[in-house]
């Protein structure tokens, strides 16, 4: 094929000729609401089932390629038209309903959240995601639509998406990057009022880059996507939005400039006045700089004054449990790209680079996007309880004198959008026995309690149908993949017999990073082979997942699994499915019996695939990491170990692989195959019901988005409004107060401390503590004086500390003030207390914000 591009080509677009009675199909195809409504998906599938598979479940492509005669036939089919009207009526009700947010927060009608993410996993037909981070972002938008959250989303539109995976004959991962046709996707270019396409400008060192703005609609939530593949851009700039996570470090910084800075400018061009900004991971952290720059434009504000306003209304979610997973740029690269930008922030080079360094004074440190986000957001969180604690440990250096448990990073545990991931068989059962409540409010625990009413026979048969469907699909996909690899005819024929629709089926599917230990089950091949080859109680395992193109260790893990699966004795019992995506994930989480997860704790920030499995009654067997550290109990699944810490990773792998084999041999396999006279595994089914009842109402994104709304979005909006009033009067005052604290902090002295009593107390006694502070440059109302107290451990440290405020009592001499607090002795044993002083300005999001703390 010639690379010649004719400059005289004139483009035009052809639209499907949909008969008038079927016009609602056009609107439905353009809104991704259909993704989580099986009845809507079936509406398109009914038109042409084989074409539906060929276009990979894309309604837009289906309508563009379907035979016109089939559309005409459907337009005269009264049964089909009734189906369409039912779906369209449900769609309109969704679009016009108020939802949870309106019902519970009517007075917050001015709130509008802008949600930024580098990837969105909405559906396999729109492949602009790589894995869990993107799928979580997609589920966030779906739940935001369901609960009526006022939210818009911003991302990048990658024309090659994330790579497509296929395996060579020897099992080595290969990558391909097919090009997306945006005009055959549920996207539309955003236009100005004169009809011209909307472009926003972002400046790079060499020249300006222009970004086209596209829009996808997810129920009630608009998603705006930026695209640099424009004729007016240089070839190198057109590549910025080519591949998700493609290219080197310099390509990454260019992408993140477009996402963060370009995304804010796109919202401005759209006249969308968002007032709370949510950074989903650090990729979009440059948005905070752009928001500050816009506030400083043509104003007398200082950087710190504008920063206070922006910080108050920024939310940052970190998904990374290790520093190596954070984007960090060399100082020279930052200088290259921001030399002309930081003067607009009223900063010099040192002040600018310090924003992204753990130690602003260490000029050798790189510029961390996570540090930038943490420094410019008042609301920060990890994505599970354990990950919140890990994150506080990771970023302790930003608050060096603050006890770890008080580092201002909270947690909101991730969830899944239940209806996206639920098998049709399970959805039918839930509708039949739980009514409508679980669907309209999946966080309602009382609705899920009705799971106990589902007859064991019906639940088990529904699950068996899901497993049968998985096996049928896996055989078909495996055969197709063997054909593409050039496998022999005999190998292809053997694919028809792989897997057993009645055998205990284990699923393991995730990114093949080494810490996820994809080959932990292969650590003792002979022991695994005995489990697989058991003719009376066999197990079978389906693997799927991609390794990053540059991760050779991850690729070696995949190759080891594929080669092990070629052993004659196990080839029917173990299978690797190529090109893991949302479609593959749905089959797996709906059809396996056990969802296996083996990360090296505590490196799994959350992990949501196990939640998807649990919503389908699939039992989890996992290391207690991420969400499973919260979700596990003995009646819903199995835990590999008890969260022990190991200093030697190899020893940890050995211990936990043995623990996994023990669980399989002594608990999981017997529980699955222990059948009564009626052929039902009653103990297993009880666990399935417990899993649905306990986990489904908690680990879902409707609950998660509500948590974000009430913990972060609404308080950030209120705080932002307060600081912005009267031309940012309080924002200016807060910036000056922080400057004052830094100048005068070292003048604080604790002169004396006196505690009542003898040092020996009984439970229930109260001890009064008095402290005299010398404050030559500060006043009592500027400060928070606290007692930091609790039980003392053998190492001389306070365990489970709690804080008691001390009240200003009187001025005992010039600049000397008495503070008093009372400690109630609640438990016996050795106790201790310390006195600490913190800034006390009422407008600070947290007293730890300035990084100042004085321990007496």
């Amino acid at each position: 094929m010639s690379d010649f591009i004719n400059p005289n080509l004139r483009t035009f677009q052809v639209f499907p000729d949909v008969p008038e009675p079927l016009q609602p199909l056009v609107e439905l195809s353009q809104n991704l609401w259909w993704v989580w409504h099986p009845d809507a998906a079936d509406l398109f599938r009914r038109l042409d089932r084989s074409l539906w598979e060929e276009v990979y479940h894309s309604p837009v492509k289906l309508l563009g390629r379907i035979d016109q005669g089939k559309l005409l036939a459907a337009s005269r089919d009264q049964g089909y038209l009734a189906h369409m009207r039912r779906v369209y009526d449900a769609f309109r009700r969704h679009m016009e309903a108020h939802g949870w947010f309106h019902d519970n927060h009517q007075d917050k009608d001015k709130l509008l959240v802008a949600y930024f993410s580098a990837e969105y996993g909405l559906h396999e037909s729109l492949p602009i995601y790589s894995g869990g981070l993107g799928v979580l972002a997609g589920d966030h938008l779906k739940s935001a639509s369901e609960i009526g959250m006022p939210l818009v989303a911003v991302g990048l539109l990658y024309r090659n998406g994330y790579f497509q995976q296929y395996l060579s004959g020897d099992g080595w991962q290969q990558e391909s990057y097919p090009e997306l046709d945006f005009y055959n996707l549920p996207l539309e270019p955003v236009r100005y009022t004169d009809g011209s396409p909307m472009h926003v400008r972002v400046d790079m060192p060499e020249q300006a880059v222009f970004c086209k703005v596209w829009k996808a609609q997810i129920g009630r939530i608009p998603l705006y996507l930026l695209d640099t593949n424009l004729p007016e851009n240089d070839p190198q700039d057109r590549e910025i939005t080519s591949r998700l996570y493609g290219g080197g470090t310099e390509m990454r910084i260019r992408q993140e400039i477009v996402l963060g800075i370009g995304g804010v400018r796109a919202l401005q061009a759209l006249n969308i006045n968002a007032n709370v900004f949510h950074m989903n991971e650090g990729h979009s952290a440059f948005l905070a700089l752009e928001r500050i720059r816009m506030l400083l434009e043509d104003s007398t504000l200082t950087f710190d004054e504008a920063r206070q306003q922006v910080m108050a209304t920024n939310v940052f979610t970190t998904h990374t449990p290790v520093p190596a997973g954070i984007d960090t740029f060399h100082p020279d690269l930052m200088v290259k790209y921001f030399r002309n930008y930081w003067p607009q922030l009223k900063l010099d080079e040192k002040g600018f680079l310090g924003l992204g360094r753990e130690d602003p004074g260490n000029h050798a440190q790189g510029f961390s996007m996570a540090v930038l986000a943490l420094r410019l957001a008042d609301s920060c969180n990890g994505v599970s309880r354990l990950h919140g604690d890990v994150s506080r440990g990771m970023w302790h250096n930003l608050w060096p004198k603050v006890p770890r448990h008080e580092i201002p990073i909270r947690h909101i545990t991730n969830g899944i959008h239940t209806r996206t991931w639920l098998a049709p068989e399970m959805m039918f059962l839930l509708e039949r026995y739980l009514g409508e409540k679980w669907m309209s409010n999946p966080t309602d625990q009382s609705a899920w309690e009705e799971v106990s009413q589902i007859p064991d026979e019906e639940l088990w048969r529904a699950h068996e149908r899901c497993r049968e469907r998985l096996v049928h699909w896996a055989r078909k996909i495996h055969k197709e993949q063997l054909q593409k690899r050039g496998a022999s005819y005999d190998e292809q024929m053997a694919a028809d017999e792989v897997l057993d629709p009645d055998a205990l089926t284990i699923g393991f599917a995730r990114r093949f990073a080494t810490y996820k230990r994809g080959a932990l089950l292969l650590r003792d091949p002979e022991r695994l082979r005995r489990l697989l080859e058991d003719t009376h109680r066999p197990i079978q395992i389906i693997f799927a997942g991609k390794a990053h193109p540059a991760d050779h260790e991850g690729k070696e893990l995949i190759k080891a699994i594929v080669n092990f699966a070629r052993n004659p004795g196990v080839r029917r019992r173990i299978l690797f499915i190529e090109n893991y995506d949302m479609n593959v994930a749905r089959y797996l989480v709906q059809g396996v019996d056990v969802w296996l997860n083996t990360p090296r704790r505590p490196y799994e920030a959350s992990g949501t695939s196990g939640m998807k499995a649990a919503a389908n009654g699939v039992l989890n067997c996992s290391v207690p990491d991420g969400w499973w550290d919260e979700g596990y109990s003995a009646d819903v699944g199995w835990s590999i170990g008890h969260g022990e810490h190991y200093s030697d990773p190899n020893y940890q792998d050995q211990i936990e692989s043995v623990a996994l084999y023990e669980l399989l041999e002594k608990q999981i396999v017997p529980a699955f195959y222990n059948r009564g006279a009626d052929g039902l595994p009653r103990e297993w089914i009880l666990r399935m019901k417990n899993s649905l009842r306990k986990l489904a109402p908690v680990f879902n994104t409707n609950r998660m988005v509500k948590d974000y709304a009430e913990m972060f979005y609404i308080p950030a909006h209120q705080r932002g409004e307060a600081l912005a009033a009267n031309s940012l009067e309080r924002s200016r005052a807060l910036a000056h107060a922080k400057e004052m604290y830094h100048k005068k902090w070292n003048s604080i002295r604790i002169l004396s401390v006196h505690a009542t009593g003898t040092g020996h107390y009984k439970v229930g006694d109260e001890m009064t503590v008095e402290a005299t502070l010398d404050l030559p440059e500060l006043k009592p109302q500027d400060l928070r004086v606290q007692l930091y107290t609790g039980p003392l451990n053998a190492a001389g440290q306070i365990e489970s500390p709690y804080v008691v405020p001390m009240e200003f009592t009187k001025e005992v001499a010039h600049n000397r003030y008495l503070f008093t607090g009372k400690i109630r002795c609640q438990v016996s044993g050795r106790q201790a207390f310390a006195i600490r002083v913190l800034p006390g300005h009422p407008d600070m999001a947290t007293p730890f914000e300035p990084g100042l703390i004085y321990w007496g």
Side-chain angles (χ1 to χ4, degrees):
M1 182 183 288
S2 171
D3 290 332
F4 172 70
I5 299 175
N6 189 332
N8 299 314
L9 288 176
R10 299 190 180 191
T11 63
F12 61 94
Q13 194 170 352
V14 178
F15 297 93
D17 183 13
V18 178
E20 183 61 33
L22 299 182
Q23 280 301 309
L25 291 179
V26 177
E27 186 178 353
L28 288 168
S29 71
Q30 292 289 343
N31 190 313
L32 285 152
W33 171 89
W34 70 265
V35 164
W36 68 94
H37 291 84
D39 205 23
D42 199 45
L43 194 62
F44 295 103
R45 185 185 294 107
R46 280 182 65 178
L47 290 172
D48 189 326
R49 293 180 184 276
S50 60
L51 181 59
W52 177 250
E53 295 301 324
E54 192 179 322
V55 298
Y56 212 39
H57 319 139
S58 169
V60 175
K61 284 186 181 177
L62 181 101
L63 292 179
R65 289 176 53 182
I66 194 169
D67 180 87
Q68 196 67 27
K70 292 186 177 180
L71 286 178
L72 286 171
S75 72
R76 298 169 185 146
D77 182 336
Q78 293 306 311
Y80 185 85
L81 292 175
H83 181 183
M84 183 188 69
R85 284 192 293 270
R86 183 175 69 248
V87 169
Y88 189 69
D89 287 347
F91 169 66
R92 294 313 318 169
R93 284 195 301 273
H94 175 85
M95 297 298 288
E96 293 160 10
H98 287 305
W100 169 87
F101 186 83
H102 176 271
D103 294 343
N104 291 271
H105 300 287
Q106 289 187 40
D107 57 329
K108 309 299 187 302
D109 57 337
K110 293 181 181 177
L111 171 65
L112 180 59
V113 179
Y115 181 90
F116 279 63
S117 182
E119 51 173 305
Y120 289 92
L122 295 157
H123 188 255
E124 61 267 17
S125 63
L126 185 59
I128 54 171
Y129 64 96
S130 71
L133 178 73
V135 172
L136 175 87
D139 283 6
H140 193 112
L141 303 193
K142 294 169 188 175
S143 284
S145 181
E146 285 195 335
I147 70 172
M149 189 72 218
L151 183 144
V152 299
V154 178
L156 300 180
L157 185 56
Y158 307 96
R159 74 174 187 274
N160 298 119
Y162 198 52
F163 72 87
Q164 302 286 299
Q165 176 199 53
Y166 64 98
L167 301 183
S168 63
D170 64 351
W172 189 256
Q173 174 182 291
Q174 308 286 317
E175 298 89 28
S176 67
Y177 293 88
E179 193 148 325
L180 299 181
D181 178 4
F182 297 163
Y183 292 93
N184 271 314
L185 290 171
L187 302 166
E188 60 176 355
V190 179
R191 301 185 182 277
Y192 292 111
T193 52
D194 63 1
S196 61
M198 178 175 287
H199 290 175
V200 295
R201 170 179 169 150
V202 177
D203 292 311
M204 298 289 176
E206 306 85 3
Q207 65 275 317
V209 174
F210 295 93
C211 312
K212 186 174 182 177
V213 183
W214 297 76
K215 178 184 174 185
Q217 193 71 32
I218 299 88
R220 291 182 273 188
I221 305 299
L223 166 60
Y224 297 100
L225 299 165
L226 276 62
D227 165 27
T228 65
N229 185 28
L230 303 176
E232 49 265 55
N233 286 333
D234 280 2
Q236 63 173 359
D237 296 329
R238 296 180 70 162
E239 293 300 307
I240 292 173
T241 56
S242 171
R243 297 179 181 181
L244 172 59
Y245 304 140
T249 306
E250 188 150 8
M251 178 57 77
R252 183 66 66 87
I253 196 173
R254 294 165 78 86
Q255 288 183 333
E256 295 182 0
I257 288 170
V258 169
L259 174 62
I261 296 176
V264 171
R265 292 179 183 178
L267 293 179
Q268 185 182 33
L270 288 157
N271 292 317
I272 293 174
N273 298 312
N275 40 41
V276 171
F277 284 69
H278 186 170
M279 298 172 275
N280 187 42
E281 198 44 272
H283 308 116
S284 59
F286 290 140
L287 73 80
L289 299 177
E290 179 63 8
R291 294 187 66 207
I292 293 171
R293 187 198 67 79
M294 289 168 62
L295 271 180
L296 292 174
E297 206 169 27
D298 302 322
S299 83
T300 59
L301 293 170
T302 67
F303 172 82
D304 284 330
E305 289 169 345
R307 173 187 186 174
Q308 287 305 140
Q309 171 65 22
V310 169
M311 282 179 65
T313 52
N314 277 348
V315 177
F316 169 53
T317 298
T318 173
H319 295 258
T320 310
V322 287
I326 302 291
D327 283 340
T328 302
F329 300 117
H330 193 279
D332 292 346
L333 196 62
M334 291 299 297
V335 170
K336 175 181 177 180
Y337 278 87
F338 286 92
R339 185 193 308 274
N340 297 324
Y341 190 89
W342 67 62
Q344 300 175 63
L345 299 174
K346 302 182 181 179
L347 290 174
D348 57 14
E349 178 179 331
K350 179 182 175 183
F352 177 78
L353 293 178
L355 291 171
R357 288 172 168 154
E358 287 189 53
D359 177 2
N362 184 348
H363 295 180
Q365 279 186 358
F367 189 98
S368 163
M369 295 298 282
V371 170
L372 177 67
L374 288 165
R375 284 224 167 92
L376 295 180
D378 276 348
S379 304
C380 307
N381 70 285
V383 290
S384 68
R385 182 176 60 200
L386 179 60
H387 181 238
D389 185 56
V390 170
S391 299
R392 287 187 286 274
M394 268 178 67
W395 305 114
H396 199 179
N397 288 343
L398 298 181
W399 297 273
K401 294 181 180 180
V402 178
R404 173 168 168 162
H405 73 282
E406 291 185 292
I407 298 291
I409 300 175
R410 302 162 75 184
H411 82 272
I412 291 178
T413 301
N414 281 345
I416 58 149
H417 184 255
T418 308
R419 290 173 68 176
T420 292
W421 299 102
L422 209 56
E425 293 85 352
M426 291 300 300
M427 193 172 290
F428 173 79
L429 268 187
L430 295 178
E431 287 176 359
R432 184 173 177 184
Y433 289 98
L434 276 62
E436 288 286 325
K437 199 191 293 186
W438 76 270
M439 204 181 304
S440 59
N441 184 10
T443 64
D444 187 339
Q445 178 71 54
S446 65
W448 292 92
E449 290 296 333
E450 297 302 313
V451 164
S452 59
Q453 302 302 315
I454 301 175
D456 288 0
E457 297 86 350
E458 290 194 44
L459 180 59
W460 187 244
R461 184 61 197 131
H463 176 65
E464 286 191 311
R465 282 197 295 271
C466 294
R467 192 190 317 115
E468 288 162 4
R469 188 174 66 246
L470 166 63
V471 169
H472 171 76
W473 170 84
R475 288 171 174 172
K476 172 175 166 286
I477 292 297
H478 183 50
K479 192 170 187 176
E480 291 173 359
Q481 292 173 352
L482 287 172
Q483 288 171 347
K484 290 176 183 175
R485 282 184 227 165
S488 68
Y489 178 79
D490 288 343
E491 279 185 281
Q492 292 180 38
M493 290 304 101
D496 290 332
E497 297 179 356
V498 74
L499 304 178
D500 178 348
D502 296 317
L504 170 59
T505 306
I506 297 171
F508 182 98
R510 52 200 23 91
R511 185 162 52 90
F512 266 77
T514 48
Y515 80 86
K516 291 179 181 283
R517 300 188 296 183
L520 191 68
L521 254 180
L522 273 62
R523 198 171 175 90
D524 187 341
E526 292 306 314
R527 195 167 180 180
L528 176 59
R529 190 176 281 113
R530 286 196 298 273
L531 284 163
L532 294 167
E533 295 177 354
D534 188 325
T535 55
H536 298 293
R537 302 191 307 177
I539 71 167
Q540 56 195 16
I541 310 167
I542 303 177
F543 288 92
K546 298 177 178 180
H548 187 278
D551 184 359
H552 287 271
E553 287 185 74
K555 292 182 178 182
E556 289 288 357
L557 292 177
I558 293 172
K559 183 178 179 181
I561 290 166
V562 172
N563 287 328
F564 179 80
R566 288 182 171 144
N567 291 320
V570 302
R571 62 173 47 174
R572 289 187 62 238
R573 302 291 188 197
I574 189 166
L575 185 63
F576 187 93
I577 300 288
E578 297 174 22
N579 206 34
Y580 184 44
D581 67 358
M582 291 181 72
N583 183 51
V584 176
R586 270 198 307 276
Y587 277 102
L588 290 175
V589 299
Q590 293 171 8
V592 300
D593 300 295
V594 175
W595 194 256
L596 181 63
N597 191 22
T598 55
R600 189 175 286 126
R601 179 184 160 108
Y603 298 137
E604 182 87 291
S606 176
T608 54
S609 59
M611 302 176 192
K612 298 167 185 132
N616 284 285
V618 172
L619 304 183
N620 277 268
C621 176
S622 174
V623 171
D625 198 6
W627 83 281
W628 195 235
D629 187 60
E630 298 167 53
Y632 168 72
S633 61
D635 59 346
V636 301
W638 295 274
S639 175
I640 304 168
H642 303 285
E644 297 88 350
H645 174 73
Y646 300 88
S647 56
D648 181 350
N650 190 56
Y651 179 67
Q652 180 177 1
D653 293 353
Q654 177 61 28
I655 292 294
E656 292 180 346
S657 67
V658 171
L660 175 54
Y661 291 126
E662 292 281 315
L663 280 175
L664 286 168
E665 292 166 349
K666 296 180 180 177
Q667 295 188 42
I668 296 173
V669 171
F672 183 84
Y673 285 106
N674 183 16
R675 309 291 173 98
D678 55 6
L680 296 177
R682 298 281 181 178
E683 178 191 343
W684 192 279
I685 294 170
L686 179 59
R687 272 198 169 97
M688 290 175 69
K689 289 184 175 181
N690 289 337
S691 182
L692 283 165
R693 186 171 52 82
K694 290 186 173 184
L695 303 180
V698 178
F699 297 100
N700 65 74
T701 42
N702 287 49
R703 182 271 312 156
M704 182 190 82
V705 178
K706 289 177 184 178
D707 284 351
Y708 276 110
E710 295 186 329
M711 290 173 60
F712 291 149
Y713 296 161
I714 292 171
H717 175 49
Q718 292 171 329
R719 186 165 145 70
E721 280 194 322
L723 292 181
N726 301 320
S727 302
L728 276 72
E729 179 183 353
R730 284 169 65 177
S731 184
R732 293 172 188 256
L734 181 54
H736 294 302
K738 283 186 179 180
E739 185 180 5
M740 177 271 293
Y741 282 124
H742 280 283
K743 286 180 179 176
K744 300 180 178 181
W745 196 253
N746 290 334
S747 68
I748 297 172
R749 293 289 181 273
I750 296 179
L751 301 178
S752 65
V753 177
H754 174 71
T756 58
T758 62
H760 297 276
Y761 307 89
K762 293 180 179 179
V763 172
D765 286 352
E766 195 170 70
M767 176 175 63
T768 299
V769 180
E770 294 180 337
T772 302
L773 272 67
D774 183 33
L775 305 174
E777 299 183 56
L778 292 159
K779 298 297 180 187
Q781 58 267 29
D782 295 329
L783 304 172
R784 294 187 190 185
V785 183
Q786 299 173 335
L787 289 163
Y788 184 83
T789 183
L792 205 63
N793 64 19
Q797 299 169 324
I798 295 178
E799 279 190 352
S800 304
Y802 62 97
V803 170
V804 177
M806 298 185 77
E807 302 294 335
F808 166 56
T809 306
K810 60 181 178 180
E811 185 174 6
V812 294
H814 183 58
N815 292 334
R816 295 186 177 184
Y817 305 91
L818 182 69
F819 289 81
T820 306
K822 296 180 184 294
I823 298 174
R824 181 172 291 278
C825 303
Q826 297 174 327
V827 294
S828 60
R830 286 205 312 162
Q831 315 278 312
F833 73 84
I835 294 175
R836 69 182 188 185
V837 185
L838 295 164
H841 196 283
D843 279 340
M844 286 192 302
T846 162
F848 306 116
E849 192 179 312
L852 300 170
I853 184 168
Y854 176 78
W855 290 94

